[in-house]
Amino acid sequence: MRFLSVYLQRLPTDRLLRTRSGVAPEAFALYARVKGAERLTAVDVGAQKRGLLPGMAVADARARCPALALALAEANPKADAATLDALADWSRRFTPLAASDQPDGLLLDVTGAAHLFGGETALLDDIEARLAALGFCARAALAPGPALARALARFSSVRLVAEAAGQGEIDARAASLPVEALGVDAVDMAGLRRAGLRRIGDLLSRPRAPLAARFGQAALTRLDALTCRIRDPISPRFEAPAFIAERRFPDGLTQRADIEATLARLAADLCPMLERAGVGARRLEAVFYRVDGAVKRIEAGTSRPLREPARLAALLCERLAAVAEEGLDTGYGFDVLRLCATATEAAAVPQTRLLAPPPRGAADDADLGDLIDRLGARLGLRRVLRLHAEAAHLPEFAVAAVPAAHGAPAPFPAQSAPRPLRLFERPEPVETIALFPDGPPVRFRWRRVLHEVVSYEGPERLAPPWWGAAQSGPTRDYFQAQDSDGRLFWLFREGLYGRETGAPRWFVHGLS
Amino acid sequence: MSQSGVSERICLLRRRIALIEAREGQVAPFATPFAPAFGVDRLDALLGAGRAGLSEILPSRAPDAPAAAAFAVAMALRARAARGGGALVVIVEDIAAQEFGLPYGRGLAAAGLDLSRFVLIRTRRPRETLWTMEEALKSPACAAVVAESFLTSRLYDLSASRRLLLAARRGGALGLVAPLAPPKDTAPARLSSAAELRVEIAAAAPEAGARPPAARSPPLSPAAPFRWRLRLLKARAGWGEIDPAQWREIAFDPEQTVFRHAFPERLPSEASNRPAAADPQRRRA
């Protein structure tokens, strides 16, 4: 296992300085209110050279540094965390398993990924150089365990512990680190200091049982993690998809035609992998890494397991076109394009039949599936629907509109009572005059227009589901009514007169 | 450029259009002469004539929009039966869903629609509706595509409708545009579009004998939803002997998927085998 840790020493100040235009201030520091006093929380290189340190009162800092030379801004931990998350997304260009290591670092699982970047040293150089170009002061370290990599990036000038290193060498590397590298809390740290333990080596050379008794098992677990004696996984920001294809370019792609052509090639790379595993993609994600560190992501769902390159590419291009309508900010271009199948489903290879035409209807289904996918990619999956029958008798619950990508509905059961062709999403209240309180409607006013009922059918009484919650609403009496212009309405009266309510209300629920 | 150059170019473009249409496998619209006949069977043939094509269904007045939409569904069912299968796509704009509700599965199933081949699409804007309709028409899976939308004549013009028509011919589907409001700026008869058929739909008038229900009269059930009053505004296949200005009553039979003349089907059920009121002498007894 190989883990890479990045330490962003000056993340809060770098975040603000990189977006600032004009001449950089000589010294820059952030402050926050701590218990009523304004204290520095982060300083940049210039401020540090002038002797400013985090924790110092702002008044002291101003005394040390002339007011003109010192620029101050209020600290914003939330924005820092968001920046770190964005950087973790950015670092997924190196490996799919990337996590942000709050508050000031990144952790990457680069097992088996370093050779793609010309070796581990080259990978470390690449990351540091790219982060420096983005305006972040970063130190990276690579080690067999995440805790060791983290400690090396923060407390040591050693950047790399070789893959072939044995336990002895790892211990020797860890021994020279200060005890702060353990990352235990302040009380334990004070205890360690008081006991005269300054280096990790001091802990390693001592018997374990007294240490455990004094500092707890947790400290020993951390020690074991630091010396890579236990496997210590990281929790990546996103699950690593099983199927990934990617292309890298020395320069950024800015033209949409280029991006689409690359997507087509990526789809052609991805499909053999899917075929080998005997699965088809149900959800695709294309990730574009922009040269300046921004990450764009488009997703497309399919209605059935797909692994034909042309169809996958068409789907993604459709989605890309939809995104491009809102404005796909290519900036200086995308230099890494990645296509992953984030959800897959088993799909058997259809048996090719010699000299026999495919069964009728199968091609139709495939065509309809294609149409649903294409429309879903452009309009959104929730806007392409199919109607499924539900086992419920209240009209609004008897039919469910389910995204078409979830499959075709079963046939509807026969309905004896008449039902309208259109149903309102929410019944609309009407003022109605009925013959008698629980009788049929005579005239009603809907949307400020008076309708005279000339004929009706009903009532059809629908009781609320008594087996459900106690408060499931009153009984409804449905009437199919025709007005003097011949228009058909589906009205209902809510509540049984005298038993459930004194003044029943009327609603229009459907039209036909 | 000289005058003759312009006309040459126009000739060239015309020839290209002719070539495109020939490639789409479309016969000229007047190639099959329309045999004149009487009655509504004629009308049924006219309504079901252009299997792959574009039809417009205008509501006579704004409140007739649900009736026009129901007529569009009936025509879609007719087209599906004529094709012998295929999917039915209904596109409903959000504002249409607010105004007139969404197609209801139980009612559609009762009308004979196979919901396993039915897709409901909700769109946000008329422009999106047109795009969706064109995509759906191009797909060979669809038998009919219905678009319910508040289209403006600025958006849905000659070129937009021509695009739809060509897409419909390529995919072999029937496109049905059901604008939810009668066009404000132009008279329905003078609307300019490439559609092959344009009809105006109003809700069927109630039965002649129907009066507001009196307290003691038996309830008279309303007509089935598949009845309309219809007027032809445009038919590229030719009018035949149909008087375009005349409103005619028409009904759709979902079982045989055929349009018929709407005869008054039901009469008020008079109590024939018993007296309407008790004999006064017996009452006294």
Side-chain angles (χ1 to χ4, degrees):
Chain A
M1 304 290 278
R2 306 294 288 160
F3 290 92
L4 193 151
S5 171
V6 180
Y7 175 42
L8 298 159
Q9 197 182 353
R10 302 185 193 282
L11 177 72
T13 50
D14 285 346
R15 175 176 68 81
L16 289 168
L17 283 176
R18 68 192 282 264
T19 54
R20 211 173 243 243
S21 56
V23 185
E26 284 178 43
F28 182 65
L30 299 181
Y31 71 94
R33 259 174 207 287
V34 182
K35 293 181 184 165
E38 287 182 340
R39 290 185 181 277
L40 299 190
T41 58
V43 295
D44 77 337
V45 187
Q48 198 173 16
K49 271 189 198 146
R50 287 158 196 265
L52 306 189
L53 287 170
M56 192 180 263
V58 168
D60 294 346
R62 285 206 190 282
R64 282 203 178 207
C65 199
L68 281 178
L70 178 67
L72 279 172
E74 199 161 352
N76 186 350
K78 271 188 189 167
D80 292 342
T83 309
L84 200 60
D85 282 342
L87 280 174
D89 279 356
W90 166 84
S91 64
R92 290 182 78 214
R93 61 188 287 141
F94 299 105
T95 165
L97 293 167
S100 60
D101 179 14
Q102 298 287 359
D104 54 3
L106 305 171
L107 264 178
L108 277 63
D109 185 344
V110 291
T111 315
H115 70 279
L116 299 172
F117 303 91
E120 295 185 329
T121 318
L123 174 62
L124 288 172
D125 289 343
D126 190 23
I127 288 190
E128 282 181 358
R130 278 178 190 273
L131 281 171
L134 292 178
F136 291 101
C137 164
R139 278 182 45 78
L142 222 167
L148 183 58
R150 198 172 178 280
L152 286 178
R154 281 166 177 73
F155 300 104
S156 166
S157 58
V158 178
R159 289 207 307 171
L160 185 64
V161 178
E163 196 164 10
Q167 191 61 50
E169 195 180 332
I170 292 173
D171 282 354
R173 290 275 180 227
S176 61
L177 295 168
V179 284
E180 279 86 355
L182 274 185
V184 293
D185 60 14
V187 179
D188 281 346
M189 187 56 66
L192 286 169
R193 289 266 173 215
R194 209 174 299 135
L197 304 168
R198 302 198 179 278
R199 304 259 146 209
I200 297 293
D202 300 341
L203 292 171
L204 287 175
S205 60
R206 252 152 251 272
R208 288 169 67 89
L211 283 179
R214 181 154 182 188
F215 301 109
Q217 194 60 44
L220 279 187
T221 311
R222 282 169 188 268
L223 187 64
D224 287 344
L226 195 61
T227 51
C228 307
R229 281 193 167 82
I230 52 174
R231 280 174 77 103
D232 185 16
I234 64 171
S235 43
R237 208 165 129 68
F238 293 101
E239 193 79 21
F243 303 96
I244 301 179
E246 70 174 28
R247 299 244 163 175
R248 287 165 189 275
F249 298 92
D251 274 335
L253 299 183
T254 51
Q255 298 298 315
R256 218 176 91 194
D258 294 343
I259 296 172
E260 284 178 0
T262 310
L263 281 178
R265 263 181 277 150
L266 286 175
D269 290 351
L270 191 70
C271 287
M273 294 186 219
L274 295 171
E275 199 162 343
R276 224 171 294 140
V279 296
R282 283 301 301 270
R283 182 161 282 281
L284 289 164
E285 186 189 49
V287 191
F288 308 132
Y289 294 87
R290 214 162 70 184
V291 176
D292 59 352
V295 181
K296 299 259 170 183
R297 179 175 284 129
I298 59 173
E299 277 190 298
T302 67
S303 61
R304 60 194 194 287
L306 268 189
R307 56 163 176 253
E308 285 148 70
R311 287 192 164 146
L312 290 186
L315 209 57
L316 288 165
C317 292
E318 199 60 66
R319 188 78 202 117
L320 188 67
V323 173
E325 268 177 14
E326 291 151 21
L328 178 73
D329 187 8
T330 52
Y332 297 105
F334 300 111
D335 62 343
V336 179
L337 277 78
R338 174 181 293 169
L339 179 62
C340 349
T342 47
T344 55
E345 207 171 81
V349 182
Q351 191 168 358
T352 47
R353 294 178 61 184
L354 206 62
L355 298 175
R360 190 176 159 74
D364 250 19
D365 276 344
D367 287 336
L368 188 60
D370 273 351
L371 176 67
I372 287 169
D373 290 348
R374 198 159 60 241
L375 296 178
R378 178 67 78 105
L379 305 170
L381 288 180
R382 287 164 172 236
R383 295 200 157 252
V384 183
L385 305 164
R386 273 178 153 168
L387 303 178
H388 290 245
E390 295 281 313
H393 69 287
L394 284 182
E396 59 266 45
F397 301 125
V399 176
V402 177
H406 293 188
F412 267 56
Q415 179 88 32
S416 54
R419 287 287 178 265
L421 291 175
R422 310 182 73 86
L423 198 75
F424 285 110
E425 287 178 289
R426 211 166 271 111
E428 302 202 349
V430 288
E431 296 164 29
T432 304
I433 295 171
L435 276 180
F436 33 91
D438 51 357
V442 174
R443 62 179 68 90
F444 63 95
R445 189 181 288 278
W446 176 54
R447 292 182 183 169
R448 295 187 290 176
V449 177
L450 194 67
H451 298 268
E452 288 278 345
V453 174
V454 294
S455 60
Y456 70 91
E457 194 170 296
E460 179 193 356
R461 179 159 294 176
L462 294 183
W466 48 265
W467 57 90
Q471 299 286 326
S472 52
T475 311
R476 298 174 186 177
D477 278 349
Y478 276 91
F479 291 89
Q480 194 121 32
Q482 189 172 30
D483 75 353
S484 51
D485 286 332
R487 299 180 190 116
L488 293 168
F489 298 88
W490 206 43
L491 303 162
F492 72 88
R493 183 184 51 228
E494 193 183 63
L496 295 175
Y497 175 71
R499 268 195 283 166
E500 287 178 355
T501 170
R505 293 195 301 157
W506 285 82
F507 294 88
V508 169
H509 205 174
L511 306 170
S512 36
Chain B
M1 196 180 279
S2 71
Q3 196 69 34
S4 63
V6 172
S7 61
E8 249 174 42
R9 169 164 286 188
I10 285 175
C11 283
L12 202 72
L13 288 173
R14 279 202 183 121
R15 234 176 291 148
R16 277 186 69 181
I17 289 173
L19 270 177
I20 290 169
E21 288 189 345
R23 201 174 54 217
E24 305 293 349
Q26 168 64 26
V27 283
F30 300 105
T32 47
F34 207 66
F38 293 100
V40 175
D41 293 340
R42 264 299 276 99
L43 202 60
D44 178 63
L46 187 61
L47 292 176
R51 211 190 73 195
L54 185 69
S55 304
E56 285 166 7
I57 294 148
L58 303 176
S60 171
R61 283 187 295 154
D64 288 322
F71 185 76
V73 168
M75 274 192 76
L77 286 172
R78 176 89 172 73
R80 185 164 185 267
R83 187 182 141 121
L88 205 157
V89 175
V90 174
I91 306 163
V92 183
E93 247 167 58
D94 282 350
I95 187 159
Q98 267 175 24
E99 281 288 303
F100 301 112
L102 281 171
Y104 184 48
R106 298 270 171 174
L108 292 173
L113 188 72
D114 175 14
L115 283 158
S116 65
R117 317 286 303 157
F118 175 81
V119 182
L120 173 69
I121 297 168
R122 302 194 57 178
T123 54
R124 298 175 195 88
R125 287 176 294 276
R127 195 177 290 280
E128 213 172 76
T129 308
L130 286 180
W131 177 85
T132 309
M133 186 169 186
E134 193 182 326
E135 285 295 315
L137 283 172
K138 269 193 266 179
S139 162
C142 293
V145 181
V146 181
E148 298 174 10
S149 157
F150 282 99
L151 287 171
T152 56
S153 51
R154 194 172 56 79
L155 196 63
Y156 179 72
D157 55 2
L158 200 58
S159 58
S161 53
R162 183 136 184 90
R163 279 183 76 100
L164 292 180
L165 181 65
L166 289 177
R169 284 185 185 157
R170 195 189 316 168
L174 174 67
L176 293 148
V177 181
L180 290 173
K184 277 183 202 135
D185 34 1
T186 48
R190 297 182 58 193
L191 203 72
S192 163
S193 78
E196 290 166 329
L197 184 73
R198 185 179 307 139
V199 294
E200 193 178 348
I201 291 287
E207 311 270 331
R211 289 176 309 277
R216 255 177 289 167
S217 76
L220 175 68
S221 59
F226 287 127
R227 285 192 61 199
W228 308 273
R229 281 187 308 137
L230 172 147
R231 189 164 70 166
L232 278 179
L233 298 177
K234 178 185 181 186
R236 279 184 81 181
W239 301 107
E241 290 194 353
I242 298 169
D243 179 10
Q246 190 196 345
W247 283 98
R248 30 186 82 241
E249 300 268 324
I250 190 165
F252 179 68
D253 182 350
E255 278 173 24
Q256 303 188 346
T257 56
V258 66
F259 287 99
R260 292 216 172 105
H261 184 85
F263 297 106
E265 283 165 355
R266 288 157 302 101
L267 293 167
S269 54
E270 290 293 330
S272 57
N273 53 356
R274 63 188 160 87
D279 190 347
Q281 285 178 350
R282 288 185 62 185
R283 200 188 290 167
R284 225 180 295 131

